[in-house]
Amino acid sequence: MATKVEVGEGNKKETSINEGDGQDKATISVTEAVAEERQPPPKNVADLASDTFEKLSEYLQGELAGTSDDYLTLEQMNRATIGKYAEMKQMTSSISTAMQDLNDKYKSLQPYLTQIDQIEESVASLEQAAYKLDAYSKRLEAKFKQLEKR
């Protein structure tokens, strides 16, 4: 069994009742379709929506400006870092050149340093000989004084 009822000018209401197999089961389905008439929202709502969109726009512009500032700061930091690395490269190059010059000078002085080491060894040997000679002369002097007393 199905029944249709129309109410109002844009409202439709449909009701159907089905009974099955003599049992006491009933299925009821109701469908409503309401056509809304478009009415302009109250002035207060329109003002609030406009204000909300303006504030959202300001917020998004602020976020974008903040991000843009972050990128500008990062760019400045990168430029400063490039400058520092260029200075460090120049300094490293200067140090490398100075080290090479020092190594060349050391190589040119190496024979003289070898001679100095040999002279130092000779001086140490002479010093030992002088100590031995001094000790021997003191013993001789003591023997001479002993023989002179007799």
Side-chain angles (χ1 to χ4, degrees), residues 36-42:
E36 296 180 10
E37 292 182 29
R38 295 282 179 179
Q39 296 177 0

Side-chain angles (χ1 to χ4, degrees), residues 50-136:
S50 176
D51 189 42
T52 300
F53 283 120
E54 287 176 15
K55 289 183 180 180
L56 180 62
S57 173
E58 289 175 13
Y59 169 76
L60 292 175
Q61 286 176 351
E63 284 293 316
L64 291 175
T67 302
S68 177
D69 290 343
D70 289 345
Y71 280 120
L72 289 175
T73 302
L74 185 61
E75 182 180 1
Q76 290 172 351
M77 289 172 53
N78 284 341
R79 287 189 179 148
T81 303
I82 289 169
K84 290 292 182 183
Y85 279 125
E87 289 175 18
M88 289 171 54
K89 180 183 175 185
Q90 181 186 6
M91 188 180 299
T92 303
S93 177
S94 298
I95 290 171
S96 176
T97 303
M99 287 292 294
Q100 187 63 40
D101 291 344
L102 284 175
N103 283 336
D104 292 343
K105 288 178 183 178
Y106 180 78
K107 286 178 183 177
S108 69
L109 291 175
Q110 188 61 40
Y112 299 111
L113 295 173
T114 304
Q115 286 179 352
I116 290 171
D117 288 341
Q118 290 172 352
I119 291 171
E120 184 181 4
E121 289 173 7
S122 297
V123 168
S125 176
L126 284 173
E127 187 179 12
Q128 289 299 322
Y131 285 133
K132 288 179 183 178
L133 186 61
D134 186 46
Y136 180 70

Side-chain angles (χ1 to χ4, degrees), residues 4-58:
K4 286 187 180 180
V5 178
E6 291 187 17
V7 178
E9 194 180 291
N11 294 333
K12 293 183 180 178
K13 187 173 187 178
E14 180 181 311
T15 306
S16 63
I17 300 174
N18 296 326
E19 293 182 23
D21 298 345
Q23 299 175 353
D24 291 331
K25 293 182 180 177
T27 305
I28 301 174
S29 65
V30 177
T31 306
E32 281 190 33
V34 178
E36 296 180 10
E37 292 182 29
R38 295 282 179 179
Q39 296 177 0
K43 184 165 179 28
N44 188 21
V45 172
D47 290 342
L48 290 175
S50 176
D51 189 42
T52 300
F53 283 120
E54 287 176 15
K55 289 183 180 180
L56 180 62
S57 173
E58 289 175 13

